[in-house]
Each structure stands twice: as C-alpha cells, then as structure tokens.
Amino acid sequence: ALGLLPSWFRRWAEKERAILGLLEDYPQFPALTSHYGNFLAQVARFDEAVAMQERTISKWPFMPGPPNQLMGALCGAGRLVEAEARSEKSLRRWPRHPVVWYARMSLLTYSGRADAALALAADRANHPRGIEQEISAMVATARALASRSAADIEVAVTENLRSVRDNIRNVPEALHLFTALGDRDRSFDVIHAYLFRSGPLATGANPLTPFSPVQTETLFHPYNRILWPDPRFSAITRKIGLDAYWKSIDFVPAFRR
C-alpha cells in the first residue's frame, strides 16, 4: 500500500524505483503489474505498458481495469486495430461498466466514427450508472464532431467546460474535444488547469496533494498530436519533470522521434 498510494506525478523516478522494488519480491502480483503498466503509460512508454498489462490480464482475467488500460496503451502505441479489438471484447464482457463504456465511446468518437458513438449512446438501457454528467458531455462531443455545426460545437464546448469545472479529473476527455476542434489555446488552458491548478479554467479545482491521481498518458495519444510541435507542450513536459526522467533512462518518446 505504501508503494502504490503516492502519486507518480513529478516523482517519476522515485515512483518507478518503489514499484520495481516491490516487483522483485512479488513479480506475479497483478495489482503491482497493473499499477506499473499504468505508470509506464503515463510516461509514454506505451509498448512496455502493453506488455505489462497483458501480463496482468493473464493473472487477473476478470478484472475490467487492466484490459481497459491495455486499450489505452495500444492507442498510445499507435496500434489502433488491436485497441479496437480489445475495446469490443471488453464491451461484450462488461457492457455497463462505466470505465469500459466510456472508453468505447471515446475510441469511437475520436477515431472518426462519431455516428457510431451516438448509436452506442442511444442505447440508454445499457448506460452505466453514476456518470450521467460525463455521458452528457461525451454525447454532446460526439454530436459536435459528427455534424460540425456551430450550434452543436457550442453545446459541446459548454458541456465539457462545465464538466471540467465540476470535476477537474474530467480534463483529459475535454482536451480531446479541443484538439479535435483544432483549439490549441483552450487545450493548453485545460492542461494547465489540470496539471498546475492555474489559468482561467482552474477555478474550484482541488489543490494537488502527494496522493492526487494525475493522468498524463493522454497527452501522448495520437488524438493530441496537434499540440506536440507547440513550444508550450515542451514547456509542460519539462516543468513536470518528464524531460529529466526520460533523459535519466535514455528514452526518447515516440512523439519526439
């Protein structure tokens, strides 16, 4: 518990040492391998994250979290056909699990199939419970990207900004909308609100603590590639310590190759 609880944010090398030390003693413990796979995705080591989540699933086949994290790692690695197959399999097994359903909606929406996402959302009997607000924002997003009408886009932007203000942890999904719309400035606004609790969208965000879960994986997904050449993106990876971490392990993330 002491090894897993602290956040990895801005303490990447320290966190990895703690996990690897535990894995030496418990190499097959799936809670550890899943956690390490999740960590690897946060630092853009996606191929290694895939291997670690596959190892987890071999020991923990009926837990929905690792397959969903595997799908995200496959997306980050650019292995979209495999991500699609994993997403379909997970949805068949856990059709109303909130994380599985939401990930399926996201994959459909941002892989050019917003109409298919809307069809999935139209099956209200199979909506997961407890994430009604997130569903509303996701449906608005899919509708905006399907129609590209000014009215639908305005609704989607409003819904996503409301979602962020109500729960700062919804930033990764809002970020996908803004990059899909080509809105770099607002994209960086939500990133700064999430990672640094600063900027115009940070109002009401809980302060970060050593235990706050912070997800950086999505920054390096192909959905957000329009941000990578922007100097503001390099400033972010430098500020949160990822540049120093990558240099320490002699690793060049795919988005810089």
Side-chain angles (χ1 to χ4, degrees):
L2 292 174
L4 299 184
L5 277 175
S7 172
W8 42 59
F9 185 60
R10 285 181 157 173
R11 45 178 66 85
W12 314 104
E14 175 188 342
K15 180 71 174 185
E16 185 169 31
R17 283 194 299 270
I19 300 172
L20 291 175
L22 290 166
L23 281 170
E24 286 184 8
D25 293 330
Y26 307 100
Q28 300 305 325
F29 186 41
L32 279 173
T33 56
S34 177
H35 193 72
Y36 189 39
N38 197 3
F39 169 85
L40 290 167
Q42 307 311 315
V43 297
R45 292 165 62 185
F46 289 114
D47 288 320
E48 295 168 89
V50 167
M52 193 58 59
Q53 294 299 0
E54 288 174 338
R55 178 172 157 187
T56 301
I57 293 165
S58 71
K59 299 291 183 182
W60 230 1
F62 297 111
M63 292 291 282
N68 217 54
Q69 291 169 354
L70 172 59
M71 188 203 78
L74 288 165
C75 283
R79 296 160 62 176
L80 298 180
V81 174
E82 294 169 82
E84 173 74 18
R86 173 54 62 178
S87 173
E88 290 178 343
K89 183 176 181 179
S90 291
L91 193 69
R92 286 194 300 271
R93 179 167 283 179
W94 300 288
R96 294 178 65 190
H97 189 281
V99 173
V100 171
W101 188 93
Y102 201 60
R104 181 63 181 165
M105 274 290 290
S106 185
L107 181 64
L108 291 171
T109 299
Y110 297 109
S111 60
R113 294 171 292 167
D115 288 333
L118 290 172
L120 175 64
D123 182 11
R124 298 181 66 86
N126 279 318
H127 277 192
R129 300 294 180 256
I131 60 167
E132 288 77 8
Q133 182 176 337
E134 289 87 346
I135 290 174
S136 175
M138 191 72 236
V139 171
T141 294
R143 188 172 292 116
L145 295 182
S147 73
R148 293 283 174 168
S149 77
D152 285 342
I153 289 172
E154 183 178 357
V155 170
V157 168
T158 300
E159 286 281 343
N160 277 271
L161 290 178
R162 181 184 298 120
S163 177
V164 166
R165 290 193 175 100
D166 289 346
N167 186 347
I168 196 70
R169 293 174 68 178
N170 292 331
V171 159
E173 198 60 46
L175 174 63
H176 290 164
L177 168 66
F178 298 134
T179 56
L181 296 175
D183 189 342
R184 291 179 178 84
D185 290 341
R186 196 168 265 150
S187 297
F188 283 107
D189 282 345
V190 296
I191 292 172
H192 279 86
Y194 183 58
L195 297 183
F196 309 119
R197 301 301 196 259
S198 66
L201 301 179
T203 305
N206 292 330
L208 287 171
T209 76
F211 300 99
S212 299
V214 178
Q215 305 294 320
T216 51
E217 170 185 356
T218 189
L219 297 176
F220 312 112
H221 278 197
Y223 306 147
N224 295 318
R225 67 172 60 250
I226 70 163
L227 304 180
W228 299 343
D230 194 301
R232 290 173 289 182
F233 194 82
S234 296
I236 287 169
T237 59
R238 183 171 59 252
K239 186 175 180 179
I240 64 177
L242 276 175
D243 285 12
Y245 167 76
W246 288 327
K247 184 177 181 180
S248 74
I249 61 171
D250 196 25
F251 176 75
V252 179
F255 76 94
R256 286 186 174 162
R257 293 177 207 154

